[in-house]
Amino acid sequence: RVAVSKEVDLRPPRSAHPLTAASVYAPKLASIRRRSAAPPQNMPRFAACLALALVAPALAGHGDMFGCRGGKNCDVTELTEANWASTIAATPHFIMFYAPWCGHCKQLAPKLKGAAKKAKAMGFGIGAVDVEPNPSIQSLFPDIKGFPSLKYVNNAKGKKSIDYNGAREGDAILQWTKETFMKTGGVPTEPVEAKAWSELYTFLGRAALDDKPALLAVGGDKEPPAWLAKLHGDLKEAPKDAPKESPEAETKRLLTEAKKATKLAEVREGIVGVLETLNMAEKAKTGKSKPLFSTTYSGDAESAAAFNATGAAKGSAYVFALALDRKDLGKSAVLAYPGNPVVAKRGKVEDGAALAAFARAAAAAAGG
């Protein structure tokens, strides 16, 4: 047993994190006088219960805000100190920095979840950072003063991040992120829609009217695989007036030499920034090129039977290029990819270069 003096400080302890409210308000016992020199027999049990009582509310605060944990399929990227650098290096993200007790964050979460799937299909991501267990990520952005803080981030060190101050609606965020992605050199991929066998004739007819060949993938999944949208986005027409060499090639060469020559880290960092700006501007200009194909996907049994494309594994598909006859679709030429079925592991095609080369050759043949 213990006797507690009347000097008890009930003020909450200061949080270790500069922005988060303390989730546990534990009284600070100013002094404790033991009646006996020997520790009470029930003290270990009391200490364990007290620790559990203090820790449980804090753990409860870190709930699964997006419903993405436990192996659940989710399009929102939950960013942590463990995956931050690799994820941002691979894909730019619109990110919500939040605290688990933030009411406005909880209201925005389902809207972000709804937009995340479309974002992923376009080539960028929507993610979230719980700052309490990830303080080193939050420290990259000293301007964060409250929650939610919303930013577009395409650099793992937090450089050149762009604040979002628009409407907190999924469609508005998606549109702003797409525009920002393009302004910073990204080439958005237009989502590929799935078509049933009954819809393919109309789709091919429209492609023929647009004077474009069609790229068709047939698989067993209901939704198009992610790699198909990426392939469609990568297959662009080369601009007729495109120069063989970058107009800024000499500028890049001189800047690269200056970066090697300088002894000052600040100057080197500035030169790297200029080079990144040049590269992003050129990518943005390239991204305005038109797609080579009208691309679609079909996952129903009738399409699989018609194209003899049965038995594709999950995430895989048979790919066909169609040179369309505007006057008679029945006379259209159908070219099957020699490597069918296209196999993807973790969303990545095993031989993407060969598939892209086949598609480009088919488009060239159709144009000739």
Side-chain angles (χ1 to χ4, degrees), residues 131-174:
V131 298
E132 287 190 342
N134 299 287
S136 67
I137 297 178
Q138 192 273 329
S139 67
L140 297 172
F141 306 94
D143 60 322
I144 292 179
K145 304 298 181 184
F147 302 112
S149 283
L150 309 172
K151 293 177 179 288
Y152 176 84
V153 181
N154 62 357
N155 184 296
K157 294 182 179 179
K159 297 177 181 178
K160 298 182 180 180
S161 63
I162 302 172
D163 291 333
Y164 175 75
N165 297 304
R168 293 182 181 180
E169 298 293 337
D171 290 343
I173 288 171
L174 188 65

Side-chain angles (χ1 to χ4, degrees), residues 227-241:
W227 56 262
L228 181 61
K230 185 178 186 307
L231 176 65
H232 172 68
D234 290 343
L235 295 172
K236 300 279 189 179
E237 292 179 358
K240 294 180 181 178
D241 57 347

Side-chain angles (χ1 to χ4, degrees), residues 32 44 51 171 206 208 290:
I32 297 179
D171 290 343
R206 288 176 179 169
K290 296 180 180 179

